[in-house]
């Protein structure tokens, strides 16, 4: 019986995942459920319609900084706890939280709020959304505060995350936390197959190991990539592939570097049947089922979000970094920041309060708390010096894997078309992974669509 592409059940994309029967807890999927511990937390629909040009204060005379963000149950709770700690730590500012359903809703309502002069002072959004707002000069230039702040330790931020909010001399976003896709393997399957994860240096090696695992009857599949374009983009980047030419005028997603890795993945799934992809289902089901296959031994392992660590059973699975594509390449998967931004229409006092909270949220101890409880990547190097982090690391060495990988990761290339290049890649990925279409054919079609979109914006 052929089982190359598994549909109907699955998990979540670039988000903290959970095993079957558990509720989604990752920060990126955003349930819109708040665990706020104070009555100041409200739903977006309940936000007061007030001008952002005048400084708002609470009943105690503190400058009120309104903060919009999304997150799953765990993430919402951790963020609210950090907010509560900040509010209790000083007497100048009060951060009022407003939870959203997800990042898309946050961005959409943020745009509407800015247009209607009822925007928050602070928001947690994705990289492309932040850049789009920055290009319209709607976000605060945080470098003004950084340059006047003797305590600001820029060099302690991982450049792969910090640089995603920089445009020349302007800093329009703080990295709140990072995410990168890492590898999770079933310890028992690897042990029975005689596989040492430390010996896996390339994806081509992993392809051979997947065949050995299946042929030896140790698991139904040797490995399971996560459905979608993200894994395939990572593999292309680790093979030296680029999204755009150096001058930004040509889309390169059908170059030899891209075609080679995408065609090999197609072969592993559809011809060799040593790998499989879950797809479809409700919400993030495809992600959950991919995780479950690795945990119960149906597959030798899978590639998923760093945020999956919050819910994986590490007595059964282990974690490792993504390898290089082959012996002639270097591992360079993408790493993405989720960003804190300050709305420029806020008053000077509110913007200063937003900046102070950004610093507080990203201090090493709070980043340690965030990583330990969610599995996502700290944006500070010195987080590893936190006593809580060092103590947790003793029994959970897997927490170092995404942090280490981020040190040599690629910044996810910016899509100057507003998303049309990545949309074309998503369609191509489905053709390759689900339909078994030749990779060159799928990527040639994607390149043509993407190039037309790029030409329109140049």
């Amino acid at each position: 019986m052929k089982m190359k592409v598994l549909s109907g059940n699955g998990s979540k994309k670039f988000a903290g995942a959970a095993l079957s029967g558990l509720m989604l807890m990752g920060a990126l999927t955003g349930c819109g459920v708040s665990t706020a511990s104070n009555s100041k937390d409200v739903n977006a629909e309940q936000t007061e319609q007030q001008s952002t040009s005048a400084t708002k204060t609470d009943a105690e005379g503190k400058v009120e900084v309104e903060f919009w963000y999304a997150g799953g149950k765990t993430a919402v709770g951790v963020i609210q706890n950090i907010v509560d700690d900040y509010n209790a730590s000083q007497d100048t500012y009060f951060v009022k939280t407003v939870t959203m359903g997800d990042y898309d809703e946050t961005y959409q309502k943020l745009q509407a709020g800015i247009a209607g002069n009822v925007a928050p002072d602070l928001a947690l959004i994705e990289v492309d959304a932040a850049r789009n707002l920055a290009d319209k000069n709607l976000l605060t230039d945080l470098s003004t505060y950084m340059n006047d702040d003797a305590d600001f330790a820029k060099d302690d931020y991982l450049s792969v995350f910090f640089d995603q909010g920089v445009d020349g001399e302007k800093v329009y976003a703080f990295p709140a936390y990072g995410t990168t896709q890492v590898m999770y393997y079933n310890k028992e399957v690897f042990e029975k197959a005689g596989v040492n994860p430390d010996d896996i240096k390339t994806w081509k090696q992993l392809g051979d190991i997947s065949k050995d695992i299946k042929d030896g009857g140790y698991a139904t599949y040797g490995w399971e990539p996560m459905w979608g374009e993200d894994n395939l983009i990572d593999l292309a980047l680790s093979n030296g592939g680029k999204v755009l030419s150096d001058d930004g005028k040509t889309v390169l997603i059908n170059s030899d570097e891209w075609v080679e890795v995408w065609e090999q993945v197609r072969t592993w799934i559809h011809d060799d049947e040593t790998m499989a992809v879950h797809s479809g289902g409700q919400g993030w089901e495809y992600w959950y089922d991919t995780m479950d296959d690795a945990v119960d031994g149906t597959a030798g392992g899978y590639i998923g979000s760093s945020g999956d660590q919050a819910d994986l059973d590490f007595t059964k699975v282990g974690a490792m970094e993504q390898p290089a594509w082959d012996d002639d390449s270097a591992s360079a998967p993408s790493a993405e920041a989720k960003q804190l931004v300050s709305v420029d229409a806020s008053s000077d006092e509110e913007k200063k309060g937003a900046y102070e909270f950004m610093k507080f949220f990203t201090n090493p101890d709070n980043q340690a708390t965030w990583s330990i409880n969610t599995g996502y990547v700290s944006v500070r190097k010195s987080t590893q010096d936190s006593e809580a982090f060092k103590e947790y690391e003793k029994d959970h060495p897997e927490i170092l894997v995404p942090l280490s990988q981020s040190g040599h990761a690629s910044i996810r290339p910016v899509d100057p078309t507003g998303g049309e290049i990545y949309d074309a890649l998503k369609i191509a990925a489905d053709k390759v992974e689900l339909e078994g279409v030749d990779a060159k054919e799928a990527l040639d079609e994607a390149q043509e669509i993407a190039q037309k979109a790029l030409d329109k914006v140049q």
Side-chain angles (χ1 to χ4, degrees), residues 147-162:
N147 294 338
D148 293 335
D149 186 353
D151 295 327
F152 179 66
K154 178 180 180 297
D155 291 342
D156 192 43
Y157 287 80
L158 288 165
S159 59
V160 70
F161 297 127
F162 188 87

Side-chain angles (χ1 to χ4, degrees), residues 230-253:
D230 291 321
N231 288 179
L232 295 176
I233 291 172
D234 278 353
L235 267 67
L237 294 176
S238 290
N239 194 34
K242 296 181 178 180
V243 174
L244 298 175
S245 58
D246 291 340
D247 62 8
K249 296 182 178 179
T250 306
V251 179
L252 302 177
I253 58 176

Side-chain angles (χ1 to χ4, degrees), residues 64-84:
E64 190 174 273
V65 177
E66 190 167 303
F67 176 28
W68 291 6
Y69 70 97
K73 277 193 170 183
T74 297
V76 166
V78 175
I79 291 175
Q80 187 62 52
N81 287 340
I82 294 174
V83 168
D84 291 345

Side-chain angles (χ1 to χ4, degrees), residues 45-355:
E45 291 77 6
Q46 298 172 320
T47 303
E48 295 179 4
Q49 301 298 301
Q50 54 192 0
S51 171
T52 56
S53 60
T55 300
K56 303 180 292 294
T57 58
D58 71 354
E60 298 176 1
K62 296 180 182 180
V63 174
E64 190 174 273
V65 177
E66 190 167 303
F67 176 28
W68 291 6
Y69 70 97
K73 277 193 170 183
T74 297
V76 166
V78 175
I79 291 175
Q80 187 62 52
N81 287 340
I82 294 174
V83 168
D84 291 345
D85 288 345
Y86 177 71
N87 287 338
S89 71
Q90 44 72 49
D91 297 321
T92 306
Y93 306 103
F94 184 90
V95 175
K96 181 178 75 172
T97 53
V98 178
T99 55
M100 301 286 171
D102 54 31
Y103 284 114
D104 287 340
E105 181 184 352
T106 305
Y107 180 46
Q108 291 166 4
K109 291 191 174 180
L110 181 58
Q111 292 181 93
I114 292 173
N117 202 30
V118 290
D121 310 297
L122 175 67
L124 178 65
I125 56 178
E126 296 184 293
V127 171
D128 287 343
R131 180 170 288 273
N132 288 340
L133 294 175
D135 287 344
K136 298 173 184 177
N137 297 315
L138 296 172
L139 300 180
T140 304
D141 181 2
L142 301 170
S143 65
T144 302
Y145 301 102
M146 294 173 183
N147 294 338
D148 293 335
D149 186 353
D151 295 327
F152 179 66
K154 178 180 180 297
D155 291 342
D156 192 43
Y157 287 80
L158 288 165
S159 59
V160 70
F161 297 127
F162 188 87
D163 291 350
Q164 293 181 44
V166 176
D167 184 9
E169 297 297 319
K170 182 178 181 180
V171 180
Y172 58 85
F174 244 97
Y177 67 91
T179 183
T180 188
Q181 301 262 18
V182 297
M183 316 283 274
Y184 300 104
Y185 61 91
N186 183 286
K187 293 178 179 179
E188 184 176 0
V189 171
F190 269 36
E191 183 178 356
K192 288 181 177 179
V195 177
N196 182 349
D198 293 335
D199 293 337
I200 302 174
K201 305 300 181 184
T202 71
W203 269 94
K204 289 190 173 181
Q205 280 182 292
L206 183 60
D208 293 337
I209 289 170
S210 295
K211 184 177 186 303
D212 292 342
I213 287 174
K214 179 174 182 176
D215 290 350
Y218 304 112
T220 305
Y221 301 105
W223 201 262
E224 292 186 6
M226 191 61 70
W227 178 35
E229 72 278 13
D230 291 321
N231 288 179
L232 295 176
I233 291 172
D234 278 353
L235 267 67
L237 294 176
S238 290
N239 194 34
K242 296 181 178 180
V243 174
L244 298 175
S245 58
D246 291 340
D247 62 8
K249 296 182 178 179
T250 306
V251 179
L252 302 177
I253 58 176
N254 63 338
S255 68
D256 291 343
E257 292 84 357
W258 284 78
V259 172
E260 178 186 3
V261 298
W262 283 46
E263 178 60 21
Q264 182 61 72
V265 172
R266 186 204 67 77
T267 300
W268 285 331
I269 295 171
H270 293 278
D271 296 345
D272 301 342
E273 299 181 7
T274 56
M275 296 189 185
V277 173
H278 280 281
S279 65
Q282 295 295 316
W284 301 112
E285 288 181 30
Y286 71 93
W287 196 291
Y288 295 138
D289 281 354
T290 305
M291 291 178 69
D292 286 345
D293 281 358
V295 174
D296 67 21
T298 299
Y302 81 104
I303 179 170
S305 169
S306 52
D308 292 357
Q309 291 197 15
D311 303 297
L312 283 168
D313 181 353
F314 282 97
T315 65
K316 296 181 179 180
V317 300
M320 61 185 182
E321 296 183 39
Q322 284 198 48
W325 172 246
D326 56 26
D327 292 333
D328 297 322
S329 61
S331 173
S334 62
E336 184 179 3
K338 299 304 175 185
Q339 298 182 317
L340 291 165
V341 297
S342 169
V343 176
D344 196 48
S346 297
S347 71
D348 290 341
E349 293 88 349
E350 291 159 345
K351 287 189 281 190
K352 182 63 163 58
Y355 170 76

